Each structure stands twice: as structure tokens, then as C-alpha cells.
């Protein structure tokens, strides 16, 4: 979700994520008439191996990561996979240039 707003002390990371969103929208327009859909999934903190390695040394950081989501927890890999499957499905046939936020409400704050 760093591409959807500001990420203090992470300006380069945030800029790269903003670039992904811009690329997604531009590519979607460029390829729409060819029947190619281009979308992005914008997750917040997800419980991955990388997350565990980064936060296992300091449980307070993991608690902080969970607290930044209004749902009170970090996301699950399966929840991101479900979003990707939807965007790849016929149910999303009229969806292109969209950045699907899967963030437990973090960007709603």
C-alpha cells in the first residue's frame, strides 16, 4: 500500500510502488483494445517468511504491524491469492487498470 499514499522514511520504496501503479494504469489503457487486462494487487503487511524473519527478533514490531491494520492482524498469503484469482477470473472481465487494495483497512484510516 506504500504506492497509495505516503510512506515516511521510505521515500524510495514508496516511489517505486507509485511507479507500479502508474505502469499498471498506463499498460491497461495501452492493451485494453487487445483484450488484455492489467491490474495490480496492493497488499499491506502479509504474514510471509520475509515478515517472520524481519519481526521474529522483536515481537513488539510484529504487534505494531498488526495494530496498523484496523482488522487487528496482518494479512494471510491466501487472502492475497484470492484477490489475484478474482482479478484473473471471468468475474473481473470488465476490470482493467485497477489497483485492488487488500490491506485490512489500513488505507481507510
Amino acid at each position: 500500500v506504500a504506492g497509495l499514499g505516503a510512506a515516511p522514511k521510505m521515500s524510495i520504496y514508496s516511489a517505486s510502488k507509485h511507479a507500479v501503479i502508474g505502469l499498471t494504469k498506463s499498460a491497461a489503457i495501452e492493451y485494453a483494445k487487445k483484450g488484455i487486462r492489467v491490474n495490480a494487487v496492493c497488499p499491506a503487511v502479509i504474514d510471509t517468511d520475509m515478515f517472520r524473519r524481519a519481526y521474529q527478533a522483536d515481537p513488539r514490531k510484529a504487534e505494531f504491524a498488526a495494530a496498523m491494520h484496523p482488522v487487528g492482524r496482518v494479512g494471510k498469503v491466501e487472502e492475497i491469492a484470492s484477490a489475484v484469482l478474482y482479478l484473473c477470473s471471468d468475474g473481473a472481465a470488465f476490470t482493467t487498470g485497477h489497483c485492488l487494495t487488500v490491506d485490512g483497512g489500513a488505507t481507510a484510516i
Side-chain angles (χ1 to χ4, degrees):
V1 295
L4 300 172
K9 299 181 182 179
M10 297 175 54
S11 57
I12 294 172
Y13 179 79
S14 180
S16 72
K17 298 306 179 181
H18 279 269
V20 170
I21 290 173
L23 179 61
T24 297
K25 292 175 182 239
S26 295
I29 299 306
E30 291 173 19
Y31 290 98
K33 290 199 185 313
K34 294 181 180 188
I36 299 170
R37 294 179 286 134
V38 182
N39 297 292
V41 176
C42 301
V45 181
I46 305 301
D47 185 7
T48 62
D49 290 341
M50 186 173 90
F51 168 79
R52 289 187 202 121
R53 283 192 307 273
Y55 292 98
Q56 68 185 1
D58 188 350
R60 291 174 297 164
K61 287 184 181 179
E63 290 170 14
F64 175 79
M68 69 184 265
H69 305 90
V71 298
R73 63 176 177 83
V74 298
K76 299 175 185 172
V77 171
E78 296 82 7
E79 292 166 324
I80 303 307
S82 292
V84 171
L85 287 173
Y86 164 69
L87 288 173
C88 293
S89 75
D90 290 340
F94 200 59
T95 304
T96 194
H98 182 68
C99 298
L100 180 58
T101 306
V102 186
D103 70 350
T107 57
I109 299 173

